[in-house]
Amino acid sequence: MNDKAHRVPERLQDIREAITNARSDLGALSKEEFLADGKTQRAVIESLIVIGEAAKLVMRLDPDLERRSPDAWQQFRDAYDMRIVLTHEYFRVDAAVVWETVKNDLPQVNALIESLLG
């Protein structure tokens, strides 16, 4: 296995860990509580940034993933696009979208990660 092939599972683990962190940081907060809690928003956003950066690296290290698993590729592409907004267009960040992402999208991403790690 070459160096690139070794690095993909490491980045997938990074994504899994960041998903765990985001969900843990959100905890049992209601949407309204989350929207009023800037500290938790910043913690969750940091995890989403990590997910997006790791997703970008996976796509770069394993471009054949797009053919093998188009669903995973699209999720990684979306995560990377969100990272761009969170880091470079922070004035456009909508905390409600962050909430929905953690609640609705991260479980799907986590399932994809599990299937890729086998």
Side-chain angles (χ1 to χ4, degrees):
M1 196 182 273
N2 65 30
D3 184 48
K4 283 186 177 183
H6 281 288
R7 291 171 43 202
V8 169
E10 292 172 359
R11 298 301 69 83
L12 294 174
Q13 292 285 6
D14 292 342
I15 293 170
R16 183 163 54 182
E17 182 179 333
I19 289 170
T20 299
N21 290 343
R23 294 173 79 184
S24 174
D25 289 336
L26 189 60
L29 291 179
S30 69
K31 184 175 185 178
E32 292 72 29
E33 291 169 325
F34 177 75
L35 295 177
D37 185 349
K39 187 175 178 181
T40 300
Q41 289 175 31
R42 289 186 299 277
V44 170
I45 287 169
E46 178 63 28
S47 292
L48 294 176
I49 290 169
V50 169
I51 292 165
E53 187 63 20
K56 176 187 80 170
L57 292 172
V58 169
M59 291 186 300
R60 183 180 298 156
L61 292 168
D62 186 6
D64 192 47
L65 179 65
E66 184 174 17
R67 180 191 56 77
R68 289 190 333 270
S69 182
D71 291 341
W73 186 269
Q74 187 59 55
Q75 288 287 348
F76 291 161
R77 183 73 226 173
D78 292 346
Y80 178 65
D81 290 345
M82 186 171 199
R83 181 196 91 56
I84 294 297
V85 172
L86 294 172
T87 36
H88 298 292
E89 300 177 36
Y90 47 86
F91 52 87
R92 289 184 37 209
V93 173
D94 182 340
V97 172
V98 171
W99 166 269
E100 295 297 331
T101 298
V102 174
K103 288 297 196 176
N104 299 323
D105 298 329
L106 290 189
Q108 295 172 6
V109 174
N110 198 51
L112 283 170
I113 297 298
E114 294 302 322
S115 69
L116 292 172
L117 287 171

